[in-house]
Amino acid sequence: MTAAPLRFSVLDRSLVRRGRAPAESLSRTVRFAVEAEALGYHRFWVAEHHGVPGVAGAAPAVLAAAVAGATSHIRVGTGGVMLPNHAPLVVAEQFGVLESLHPGRIDLGLGRSLGFTSAVRRALGHGRESAERFAEQLAELLGYFTGGSGSAVRAVPSEGLRIPVFVLATGAGVEFAAEAGLPLVIAAVRGDDALRSSIDAYRERFRPSPWSDRPRVVLSRSVAVAETAEQARRILVPEAWSTAYSRVHGVFPPLESAADVLARRPSDKEREHFERAMRGHVHGTEEEVGDRLQSIVDAVEADELLITTSGHDEDALLDSYRRLARLIPAVR
């Protein structure tokens, strides 16, 4: 373990509730950020999704600006901006403006995912070849901040700013963070053994840079806390169903209530994907979650936990984050 206290942060994806307008989800995200700041979370990040009925967060730089304007000291950023969808110059300029307006509070998390469907990718004007150029795009983006992009174009007001930059990976792609000397944000999408191997590879290949003098690992995890383990598990049900539905039907729908999901009669394939989507989360009472998080953090020597939990019941979700916040001084 590192000697520094473990930081707890939040990633909110502005998921839409069934029967509600996407605008409500965006307003809820901003309100949630204010609550997360009051609870002592270190960062509040928003995400990028395009053409997904169940996700309102399509413009992370815009949403991050709203969050930063509504809060006063919590760090605000993205988990992440999908760089293959954008010109590096535009991303540098957007975050240069954000950092100039909110100095010392802005983070830039970058991913290399493409649109969810071929139709979305066509609408964005970027295909799979864009993701294959991620290392080149990343170097160009960082160069706009350092003044070494190799381009005749200068990013104003970005040049000279040192915004913390992170690379998001699910295992594949950790080499981009290591070779650029950037902190890694990673989730156990392929299981805990693969997670450990990916983090080991990142640390072995890490090259110190102006952005980070040592490898830093932010572990992304879905966590639900409640009075009982069953209540905590219930928080996870709505997103698990939307995930399962997307795997079978190709569309991630707005969240339904846990009661509505559990009353369904899913097909065998839907049930299989739902059961898979319910695995891998950390859920339970405060004591149970605290012990489990300590074990996870110890296993990979994480510097920070990025909590990504979503749910249909806003009160239950906020209660979960409040209970989790009480563990911040306890888990090291």
Side-chain angles (χ1 to χ4, degrees):
M1 285 295 297
T2 56
L6 184 75
R7 290 167 166 168
F8 280 47
S9 297
V10 175
L11 169 63
D12 186 76
R13 287 165 292 146
S14 304
L15 299 191
V16 179
R17 273 70 172 173
R18 188 176 65 177
R20 304 291 182 88
E24 290 189 27
S25 297
L26 298 173
S27 297
R28 184 184 299 111
T29 291
V30 176
R31 293 197 308 271
F32 181 28
V34 174
E35 179 81 13
E37 179 175 71
L39 289 171
Y41 288 94
H42 181 59
R43 309 180 201 274
F44 190 93
W45 282 4
V46 297
E48 175 182 341
H49 296 273
H50 297 283
V52 181
V55 185
V62 177
L63 187 52
V67 169
T71 54
S72 63
H73 60 268
I74 194 169
R75 296 200 64 87
V76 177
T78 54
V81 167
M82 297 300 120
L83 192 53
N85 295 335
H86 308 280
L89 173 63
V90 173
V91 176
E93 290 174 334
Q94 289 174 341
F95 281 81
V97 169
L98 280 170
E99 174 66 14
S100 298
L101 292 172
H102 305 281
R105 295 184 56 209
I106 301 300
D107 301 324
L108 174 53
L110 299 165
R112 56 194 289 265
S113 295
L114 299 168
F116 188 61
T117 66
S118 58
V120 169
R121 292 192 290 273
R122 285 195 299 272
L124 290 169
H126 294 279
R128 299 191 182 280
E129 69 283 353
S130 296
E132 294 169 0
R133 296 180 53 246
F134 183 78
E136 176 186 337
Q137 294 170 318
L138 179 59
E140 180 183 348
L141 173 62
L142 297 179
Y144 285 121
F145 290 106
T146 62
S149 68
S151 170
V153 178
R154 297 175 65 183
V156 179
S158 311
E159 189 172 313
L161 299 179
R162 280 294 186 272
I163 299 173
V165 180
F166 302 74
V167 172
L168 284 63
T170 57
V174 298
E175 68 273 11
F176 298 112
E179 292 171 7
L182 297 174
L184 173 70
V185 182
I186 189 167
V189 174
R190 297 177 175 85
D192 289 336
D193 290 342
L195 174 73
R196 177 78 241 193
S197 296
S198 295
I199 292 175
D200 287 345
Y202 163 70
R203 289 187 170 125
E204 289 169 5
R205 299 178 64 173
F206 183 86
R207 300 175 181 174
S209 74
W211 306 91
S212 185
D213 59 352
R214 66 174 181 86
R216 300 174 193 272
V217 174
V218 179
L219 181 60
S220 179
R221 203 81 181 203
S222 172
V223 181
V225 193
E227 186 175 353
T228 69
E230 181 53 36
Q231 289 172 339
R233 184 181 184 278
R234 194 176 180 89
I235 293 171
L236 303 169
V237 166
E239 185 178 358
W241 169 252
S242 288
T243 300
Y245 188 93
S246 73
R247 296 288 184 265
V248 177
H249 303 283
V251 177
F252 185 94
L255 300 181
E256 301 178 25
S257 70
D260 286 346
V261 171
L262 296 174
R264 281 181 168 273
R265 298 183 65 180
S267 67
D268 290 344
K269 187 173 291 187
E270 288 171 338
R271 183 181 296 106
E272 176 186 347
H273 283 285
F274 174 72
E275 291 173 353
R276 185 175 299 145
M278 286 295 294
R279 300 176 196 144
H281 308 277
V282 177
H283 72 279
T285 63
E286 289 174 48
E287 182 178 1
E288 292 168 338
V289 167
D291 290 344
R292 178 63 179 141
L293 288 180
Q294 186 68 69
S295 175
I296 291 169
V297 167
D298 287 346
V300 299
E301 299 182 15
D303 298 284
E304 187 170 335
L305 281 173
L306 182 65
I307 309 303
T308 64
T309 314
S310 297
H312 181 276
D313 185 332
E314 185 175 1
D315 290 337
L317 190 61
L318 286 175
D319 180 66
S320 175
Y321 275 97
R322 289 169 183 148
R323 291 174 182 272
L324 181 61
R326 294 202 284 264
L327 299 176
I328 292 176
V331 179
R332 290 288 185 270

